[in-house]
């Protein structure tokens, strides 16, 4: 199947700093990528939909100025957590949408664990 | 509003035993249903999906799921579990284009030797 990578896999930062997470589709082009957040023992919560060449669409309750999303190319989307605080500590997962002739599937990255001290 | 409920947070089965993971959904339109598996440190892998047609769907790794509209359920089954099946399993519902998928809280599967 298609492969999606995330970098870094784990990051620890100090409160007040910004952290950038990259999501790449390695063997296909993705016009749409998604960013999810997953708290321990909880469901994946969709944060935003990232469309190549346009502004991201944020879910209700997600601060767009805090979680900056850039989808500059068909294979790369980035999520920047600005002025991170301990409550932003979470598992962030991206996915890339593959649209083929007979299928439309999301492929997920391995996730990035963010810990804010 | 669409939502997904996985009633079992954690299930333990013996290797070789059968498995059924429950999933109930609430969706206003025709649901498209998915099961994903997540191993530690890895991304979610699609096991199977239901869009339409035969309500019994076959997936990878010997898994199958049955869509029951009357019960709003999409339970995942496997006749004989292998130790490598130990992982977290997520049920999800969404539109065909996946643009608004909702995930259940997940069920952690432990396999006893």
């Amino acid at each position: 199947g298609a492969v999606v990578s995330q970098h870094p896999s784990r990051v620890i930062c100090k409160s007040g700093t910004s952290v950038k997470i990259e999501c790449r589709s390695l063997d296909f082009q993705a016009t749409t990528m998604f960013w999810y957040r997953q708290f321990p023992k909880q469901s994946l919560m969709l944060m935003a939909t990232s469309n190549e060449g346009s502004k991201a669409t944020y879910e209700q309750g997600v601060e767009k100025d805090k979680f900056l999303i850039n989808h500059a190319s068909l294979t790369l989307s980035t999520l920047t957590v600005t002025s991170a605080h301990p409550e932003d500590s979470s598992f962030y997962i991206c996915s890339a949408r593959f649209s083929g002739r007979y299928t439309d599937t999301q492929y997920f990255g391995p996730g990035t664990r963010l810990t804010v001290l | 509003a669409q939502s997904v409920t996985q009633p079992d947070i954690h299930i333990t089965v013996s290797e070789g035993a059968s498995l059924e993971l429950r999933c109930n959904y609430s969706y206003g339109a025709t649901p498209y249903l998915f099961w994903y598996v997540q191993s530690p440190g890895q991304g979610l892998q699609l096991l199977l999906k239901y869009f339409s047609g035969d309500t019994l769907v076959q997936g990878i790794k010997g898994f199958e799921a049955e869509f029951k509209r009357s019960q709003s359920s999409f339970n995942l089954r496997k006749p004989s579990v292998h130790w490598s099946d130990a992982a977290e399993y997520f049920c999800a519902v969404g539109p065909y284009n996946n643009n608004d998928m909702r995930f259940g809280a997940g069920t952690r599967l432990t396999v006893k030797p």
Side-chain angles (χ1 to χ4, degrees), chain A residues 25-102:
Chain A
S25 56
L26 298 184
D27 50 2
F28 67 100
Q29 293 183 330
T31 55
T32 304
M33 291 185 173
F34 305 90
W35 286 97
Y36 294 85
R37 185 172 180 176
Q38 184 181 25
F39 289 106
K41 301 189 185 304
Q42 293 190 30
S43 174
L44 279 73
M45 300 298 294
L46 179 65
M47 298 175 65
T49 301
S50 169
N51 297 298
E52 187 268 337
S54 64
K55 292 183 179 180
T57 303
Y58 290 81
E59 293 297 300
Q60 191 173 12
V62 178
E63 299 175 60
K64 62 180 181 181
D65 294 330
K66 181 166 187 63
F67 298 100
L68 300 179
I69 291 173
N70 187 303
H71 194 157
S73 77
L74 289 172
T75 59
L76 173 64
S77 176
T78 60
L79 169 68
T80 301
V81 183
T82 62
S83 186
H85 290 282
E87 57 265 29
D88 298 324
S89 298
S90 189
F91 194 55
Y92 292 88
I93 302 176
C94 74
S95 70
R97 179 182 164 196
F98 175 77
S99 298
R101 186 173 181 181
Y102 301 108

Side-chain angles (χ1 to χ4, degrees), chain B residues 38-86:
Chain B
Q38 183 182 33
S39 297
Q42 297 187 26
L44 276 69
Q45 181 182 23
L46 180 66
L47 287 176
L48 47 79
K49 57 189 175 184
Y50 170 78
F51 285 172
S52 64
D54 192 344
T55 55
L56 186 61
V57 181
Q58 301 298 321
I60 62 172
K61 303 185 179 185
F63 285 93
E64 66 178 27
E66 186 171 12
F67 170 58
K68 292 185 178 180
R69 185 185 297 274
S70 61
Q71 298 178 20
S72 297
S73 69
F74 188 56
N75 295 347
L76 182 71
R77 300 195 294 249
K78 186 169 184 177
S80 178
V81 170
H82 188 262
W83 64 267
S84 60
D85 293 325

Side-chain angles (χ1 to χ4, degrees), chain B residues 1-36:
Chain B
Q2 56 195 44
S3 65
V4 179
T5 302
Q6 292 180 247
D8 305 304
I9 296 173
H10 184 204
I11 283 183
T12 300
V13 299
S14 298
E15 190 169 15
S18 64
L19 171 70
E20 182 169 29
L21 302 182
R22 296 184 290 165
C23 173
N24 294 98
Y25 67 89
S26 173
Y27 196 70
T30 301
Y32 295 106
L33 297 155
F34 309 82
W35 273 101
Y36 288 87

Side-chain angles (χ1 to χ4, degrees), chain B residues 92-109:
Chain B
V93 63
Y96 174 75
N97 62 9
N98 298 177
N99 268 9
D100 192 18
M101 289 181 70
R102 304 290 166 168
F103 286 82
T107 298
R108 183 161 60 94
L109 174 65

